[in-house]
Structure formats: structure tokens, C-alpha cells
Amino acid sequence: MIVEEDKKKEKKNENFLVDLCECHLLLKNRSSYELLSICIHCLLKAASVKEESEENQKEVEIALLTLSHIDRYYFIRQELYLKEITEIIKNHQEHRNLTQLAYQSAWEFLINRFNTNKFLEDTVSNELHFGREAARELEELTRNVNWKKKEEEMSKEEAKEVLIIKRWIETIVIYFFRCELWNEELVELIRSISYVYLAAKDDYSIISYRCIYFLRNAAKLRFVRVEDLLKGGAVEAVLEEMQRPTLKKVMTNECCQFFMNVSNRLNEKTVNKMEEVNRKATKRKVYEKLEEEGYEDIIVSF
């Protein structure tokens, strides 16, 4: 039906084709490249409409949400999507015309393409400023949520915001795992994850675990500097978790792995004299922070 509708030269029902493409991508695990190409072109066209009515915003949201579900291991030629998705993201940055879920979904679709296209790193990091944008969105969403409520007590809108926070965290995890390009906005991303952890730690174990999991893995990535972890509040967040009275084994493991990764990084010597001076200075800062927060007492208490 999708192929037949797409081939029509006259009387093509665009809305019907959008509905078909959304159903296909949301319900099928696998798709032929022909069908995938038609669906991506159709949904990006639907998501590029700039009218800001509530009804149109919802249609754009569903189109982008659907695109975000495309398996990250699909190879898709960048000429099929890059210009359109870049324009959608840039237009939102200028006019704020997308819903929060639509904007997150646009980024997720793009970052899922990292698996098969490493050349996207510079576009995503330096042209579209993923770090800055994701950090701002995540912190704004976190401020809007009443974290003292249980999820089952939340309104529909509040529950949706928690869902979007979860999606942002997973997108940021993928970004860190697939991108090896450092820029100063990484500190903002780390700070935003630490901020979410501190807000969610009491009653939202899934979110708080994913935050600590992210920080543990970030600590061992070569392009993330230990100084970035300090500036981003990662050390404080992990120490906060370690001092909780009901610390679970899995969280104990993640926290200890974080400090093992940091320790390994700080003990790696370099032949570059300037880098070695910086490493030693960072090492002093980390040890001072650990001493200040009572890290040795925490370890002994285990």
C-alpha cells in the first residue's frame, strides 16, 4: 500500500501515506530499503511543516517519534535525511516550534545514525550543538517535574515529562558511546546528568541508576577528561549515591567502578610535559574533593 500510494502521480493522499508509514515503522522490526526510503522521505516532509497550531505540532511530534524508532543498525544514506533533519533542528533552535518530545525524537533519529555514519560527529557536536541543547532540555524538564510524587501519582503531562527525561538520558548514552569528538559542551552534558540524578535519587531508581551508569562509563572514555567530570559534578553525584543508607549492590558496583576508572585515568602518565602537569593538577583536585567529601570513611563503612 505504501509503495502504491507513493507511486501515484495524481491524487496522492499525503496524509494517508503518512499514516501508513507511521504504522509500518512502529509495528515492523525490519523493513526493506525501498520502504524505509519512502517512509523517511514522507515523515521528514511531514515533520518539516512550520505551522505552529496545536494539531500540527501533534502531527509533527508523531512523525518524529516514529522516525526515532528506526533501528540504529540500519544503513541509511545521509542524503536521504541529513539536510531535512538538520533544518528541523535548526528551525526549532531559532523559533521553538516543536514539542519537547518532538525535539528529543529528532535528535534521537539523528544520533542513531552514528552507528553507520561516523562523519556525523562534527555536524552533531559543533554545528548543531547537541551538548548544549540536550543539557538545556534535560535541565528544564527536570525542573518541571515534582520528584516527590510517585510516577503513579503524576498527571499525564508530568508522566510524559519523566518519559522524555528517560529518552534524553538514553540518547546521551548513545552519543557518548558513539562519538569520540571532544568539545567544551561535554561538561554541560555531564552536569545535566548529575543534576537529574540528584533530583531523581530518592524515588526514581531506574533514572538514578541510568545516570550513575552513564557517569561510570563516561569516566573511562578517552575523549572525556577527568577535569570534565569534576566540573560537571560527577564526583559529587557518585559520592552522594555512595552515602545513601539503602545503597543497592548494583549501585555500589557502578560507583566503585566510576572511581576505579577515574583512578586509572589519573595514573596514566604522558610524555607531553604540559599534559603531565595538567594531569597532576587534576589529580590533586580529585583527591582534595574526595578528602573533603569523606571518601575514605565511605569506603571503610562498606
Side-chain angles (χ1 to χ4, degrees):
M1 290 171 71
I2 290 172
V3 173
E4 289 173 358
E5 191 66 35
D6 183 63
K7 285 181 177 178
K8 287 181 181 178
K9 301 297 182 184
E10 298 178 1
K11 297 182 180 179
K12 183 187 293 188
N13 189 332
E14 297 285 356
N15 291 335
F16 179 55
L17 183 56
V18 168
D19 289 343
L20 289 175
C21 290
E22 288 170 349
C23 288
H24 173 70
L25 291 179
L26 289 171
L27 296 173
K28 295 286 286 184
N29 289 327
R30 289 290 165 189
S31 179
S32 69
Y33 195 82
E34 179 189 15
L35 273 176
L36 200 59
S37 300
I38 294 171
C39 290
I40 290 173
H41 173 75
C42 174
L43 294 180
L44 283 173
K45 184 178 179 182
S48 299
V49 178
K50 295 182 175 60
E51 296 174 17
E52 295 186 23
S53 66
E54 187 175 339
E55 181 181 354
N56 184 70
Q57 277 194 324
K58 179 59 67 175
E59 290 173 358
V60 169
E61 181 181 88
I62 295 171
L64 289 170
L65 180 64
T66 303
L67 286 167
S68 74
H69 280 76
I70 296 176
D71 193 303
R72 69 179 66 118
Y73 295 103
Y74 271 124
F75 171 75
I76 305 169
R77 297 194 307 274
Q78 70 176 39
E79 57 265 26
L80 190 61
Y81 65 86
L82 187 57
K83 181 176 181 291
E84 290 80 0
I85 198 68
T86 298
E87 286 180 356
I88 289 169
I89 289 172
K90 284 184 173 180
N91 190 62
H92 174 76
Q93 290 173 351
E94 184 176 352
H95 301 290
R96 299 291 155 192
N97 60 314
L98 299 175
T99 66
Q100 289 174 311
L101 179 57
Y103 191 46
Q104 186 280 326
S105 297
W107 277 113
E108 186 167 336
F109 167 76
L110 183 56
I111 287 174
N112 277 343
R113 311 282 70 81
F114 269 23
N115 270 19
T116 54
N117 189 350
K118 291 289 288 180
F119 298 105
L120 289 174
E121 289 184 8
D122 186 58
T123 299
V124 168
S125 300
N126 298 323
E127 181 184 343
L128 297 177
H129 300 285
F130 173 74
R132 178 193 69 198
E133 293 292 305
R136 191 199 63 249
E137 290 287 312
L138 198 49
E139 290 181 19
E140 182 180 329
L141 283 160
T142 303
R143 284 193 297 270
N144 291 341
V145 172
N146 182 353
W147 294 98
K148 293 180 180 178
K149 284 185 179 180
K150 304 288 186 183
E151 280 195 75
E152 58 270 18
E153 298 171 347
M154 288 184 169
S155 67
K156 186 176 180 180
E157 191 58 37
E158 286 176 318
K160 184 177 181 180
E161 289 176 335
V162 170
L163 174 65
I164 302 170
I165 288 171
K166 291 178 181 177
R167 287 171 59 88
W168 269 119
I169 293 170
E170 295 309 312
T171 303
I172 292 169
V173 167
I174 294 169
Y175 173 79
F176 267 76
F177 281 170
R178 300 299 174 189
C179 181
E180 297 177 358
L181 190 66
W182 183 90
N183 76 15
E184 59 190 14
E185 293 174 9
L186 292 183
V187 177
E188 295 182 51
L189 275 179
I190 293 168
R191 185 180 293 115
S192 68
I193 293 291
S194 302
Y195 179 65
V196 174
Y197 163 76
L198 292 171
K201 62 185 175 65
D202 290 331
D203 294 306
Y204 292 79
S205 58
I206 293 175
I207 292 179
S208 57
Y209 170 74
R210 292 302 289 173
C211 290
I212 296 297
Y213 170 82
F214 163 80
L215 296 174
R216 184 261 281 181
N217 282 288
K220 69 179 179 181
L221 295 174
R222 297 292 174 187
F223 71 97
V224 179
R225 305 178 309 183
V226 175
E227 189 175 348
D228 297 337
L229 298 171
L230 270 175
K231 289 180 180 178
V235 174
E236 287 95 331
V238 176
L239 285 170
E240 180 80 17
E241 176 62 28
M242 293 179 78
Q243 295 181 76
R244 287 169 60 76
T246 56
L247 186 58
K248 296 179 180 178
K249 285 184 179 180
V250 65
M251 292 296 269
T252 304
N253 179 62
E254 296 296 334
C255 292
C256 290
Q257 285 290 336
F258 171 85
F259 284 111
M260 286 174 66
N261 291 337
V262 169
S263 179
N264 289 337
R265 297 282 302 282
L266 290 174
N267 287 315
E268 291 174 347
K269 295 190 177 180
T270 175
V271 294
N272 185 300
K273 289 185 178 180
M274 195 62 207
E275 288 183 8
E276 183 64 14
V277 169
N278 289 336
R279 182 188 70 83
K280 288 181 178 179
T282 302
K283 192 171 184 177
R284 281 195 301 273
K285 289 179 185 177
V286 171
Y287 287 166
E288 285 170 6
K289 174 61 68 174
L290 295 179
E291 186 176 3
E292 177 187 325
E293 299 291 338
Y295 177 66
E296 288 187 10
D297 292 337
I298 294 168
I299 294 295
V300 170
S301 74
F302 284 143

